[in-house]
Amino acid sequence: MASDGTASLALRLQVPKPDPGNPLGIAKPLQEVFRIPDARDWSVQRSTEPDGSEVLTASRALAVGRETDAGIALLIGGKAATRAAVTLDRTPSGGWKYTARLEWTGDPPQPDSAEDDRSARDLLAALPPGAASLEDARAIAKDFEAEIWTMLFGPPEPVLPQMLLSGPNAMQRRFRTALAPSLERILLRRLGDRLSEDQRRTLVSLALGAARPPQAAVPNAGPSPGNRGPDVPPIGISLAVRLPGRVLSHNGKFDAVTGEVYWELLPQALQRGPVILSATSTP
């Protein structure tokens, strides 16, 4: 975005050259993986990288105060399974606000109520007697699953790709280290002083000591442990914005070299509900 308020939106879609020896590869042409942007709205170019990857780049003007299609539409079974839009607004202080909304529009995952209930009862059994009700345990288990989901798939930065490149021990260590503080905060928020600090830490240690990264942590897995849904290819989504002035707040990561706020995620992140990304600047 320029200092005079004019803004543009750039899109880059890329799929690697099919490689039979790579089980994580995407053996489809670009037009079968993504919905191609409409040339009536976008300036579109195609190219091929030296390594054989197919690339499509597209750009369009970004109007102020109006939602604009961001062009991020992943195809599953020939139908768009994701939708993304961005909005750029002025703030009362004369700065700028960027908002991106990403949604899952494909077939929804089917929850496994029996597995959810089992998780809640296991958690209740691990809590000190009288510390929580079954409803408390269900709420905590739901919070735990949401935290695991965001950690694995983002935003702002999924750990799943790094975990898949690690050995089993390192993968388990990353899983525990990333989750422990968040699970302690959930217990504190839900149960307050009904648990001591030592009890919270002990419970988290027991939970993570027995836990394994969920089934969703393997490529092309369903949407969550105990839930069944469509296979989702391992495609990374990255968004970035550069706003005039000084960045005041954001829910992503800040690149101090480029001055951009950025977010990274995998498509599975959208299956729990809309994902909202935001950044604001001040003059």
Side-chain angles (χ1 to χ4, degrees), residues 100-115:
R101 180 182 177 91
L102 291 80
E103 297 178 277
W104 183 260
T105 60
D107 294 335
Q110 300 301 311
D112 188 332
S113 299
E115 177 63 27

Side-chain angles (χ1 to χ4, degrees), residues 9 19 80 83 99 115 124 145 147 168 176 181 187 189 196 228 230 246 250 253 266:
L9 181 64
D19 179 3
R83 177 173 56 217
T99 306
E115 177 63 27
L124 186 62
E145 183 181 357
E147 197 66 36
R176 291 195 305 263
L187 290 172
R189 184 177 70 247
S196 67
R228 293 176 296 278
R246 178 174 60 87
H250 62 82
K253 298 281 188 176
L266 298 175

Side-chain angles (χ1 to χ4, degrees), residues 229-242:
D231 287 349
V232 181
I235 294 174
I237 299 173
S238 181
L239 295 91
V241 63
R242 185 186 296 113

Side-chain angles (χ1 to χ4, degrees), residues 51-277:
D51 64 2
S53 298
E54 286 187 84
V55 177
L56 181 147
T57 56
S59 62
R60 65 182 301 178
L62 183 58
V64 175
R66 190 175 67 199
E67 188 175 81
T68 301
D69 174 27
I72 304 171
L74 173 67
L75 300 180
I76 295 181
K79 297 181 180 180
T82 63
R83 177 173 56 217
V86 299
T87 306
L88 190 65
D89 288 305
R90 295 304 300 257
T91 66
S93 66
W96 295 91
K97 181 177 181 180
Y98 166 92
T99 306
R101 180 182 177 91
L102 291 80
E103 297 178 277
W104 183 260
T105 60
D107 294 335
Q110 300 301 311
D112 188 332
S113 299
E115 177 63 27
D116 293 343
D117 190 63
R118 204 159 33 243
S119 297
R121 291 184 182 280
D122 288 346
L123 177 60
L124 186 62
L127 288 164
S133 66
L134 180 57
E135 288 308 307
D136 289 330
R138 286 187 174 125
I140 292 169
K142 186 176 180 180
D143 288 350
F144 275 18
E145 183 181 357
E147 197 66 36
I148 292 171
W149 200 262
T150 300
M151 179 202 73
L152 289 172
F153 302 119
E157 204 167 47
V159 302
L160 179 59
Q162 291 81 16
M163 289 173 65
L164 291 175
L165 295 175
S166 305
N169 290 337
M171 184 175 179
Q172 184 68 5
R173 189 177 297 112
R174 285 177 180 269
F175 187 68
R176 291 195 305 263
T177 302
L179 277 177
S182 298
L183 300 192
E184 283 194 50
R185 285 194 293 271
I186 290 170
L187 290 172
L188 179 61
R189 184 177 70 247
R190 289 289 184 180
L191 300 179
D193 59 7
R194 282 180 276 174
L195 290 180
S196 67
E197 184 177 349
D198 286 343
Q199 286 175 320
R200 285 195 300 271
R201 288 179 178 174
T202 298
L203 184 60
V204 168
S205 295
L206 288 172
L208 293 179
R212 293 292 181 270
Q215 183 65 20
V218 295
N220 295 326
S224 76
N227 290 8
R228 293 176 296 278
D231 287 349
V232 181
I235 294 174
I237 299 173
S238 181
L239 295 91
V241 63
R242 185 186 296 113
L243 297 172
R246 178 174 60 87
V247 173
L248 185 63
S249 64
H250 62 82
N251 63 355
K253 298 281 188 176
F254 181 69
D255 186 331
V257 175
T258 65
E260 294 176 323
V261 178
Y262 69 92
W263 301 262
E264 295 179 357
L265 62 153
L266 298 175
Q268 290 92 333
L270 312 183
Q271 291 183 311
R272 289 193 62 85
V275 171
I276 307 297
L277 314 176

